Amino acid sequence: MNDIDVNHLQDSIEDIMGDYVESPEYNKRIQEVNKMYYDFRSTLFPAKQSIFDQLFSEMQAINDDFAMQAFKRGITYGKSESYER
């Protein structure tokens, strides 16, 4: 990322996505997924629960990295497009 201030990306994401993550629909979806997660997790033996937690965390990290890359590239692409016009 050449001319993008990386220090302000997190603020930008929170500014842009704030209304979405505070929406009733998003929060309902999060609650439903959390319920499924913990309901399934409770059926596992304790040793398997920690493996399941680690797996879930790793999958979340992959999705977070993907989303951040898409956001950065979207900004970069948007900036380059605006310069060409």
Side-chain angles (χ1 to χ4, degrees), residues 1 4 8-17 64-78:
M1 295 185 45
I4 297 172
H8 296 292
L9 276 180
Q10 191 63 35
D11 292 338
S12 297
I13 291 170
E14 290 172 6
D15 291 342
I16 291 168
M17 298 302 293
D64 290 348
D65 291 345
F66 181 87
M68 182 59 79
Q69 285 299 317
F71 184 75
K72 289 177 184 177
R73 290 177 188 207
I75 290 173
T76 303
Y77 179 76

Side-chain angles (χ1 to χ4, degrees), residues 17 20-37 56 60 63:
M17 298 302 293
Y20 173 71
V21 297
E22 294 172 5
S23 71
E25 296 84 9
Y26 178 80
N27 283 294
K28 181 180 182 219
R29 188 172 179 197
I30 291 295
Q31 289 173 355
E32 290 170 351
V33 169
N34 282 340
K35 182 176 177 352
M36 287 180 0
Y37 176 85
F56 189 81
Q60 184 64 46
N63 287 334

Side-chain angles (χ1 to χ4, degrees), residues 31-68:
Q31 289 173 355
E32 290 170 351
V33 169
N34 282 340
K35 182 176 177 352
M36 287 180 0
Y37 176 85
Y38 285 107
D39 285 351
F40 178 76
R41 186 182 184 277
S42 70
T43 67
L44 302 173
F45 290 112
K48 296 292 184 184
Q49 288 178 356
S50 64
I51 294 169
F52 183 66
D53 292 342
Q54 183 179 4
L55 174 63
F56 189 81
S57 292
E58 290 296 323
M59 291 171 61
Q60 184 64 46
I62 289 169
N63 287 334
D64 290 348
D65 291 345
F66 181 87
M68 182 59 79

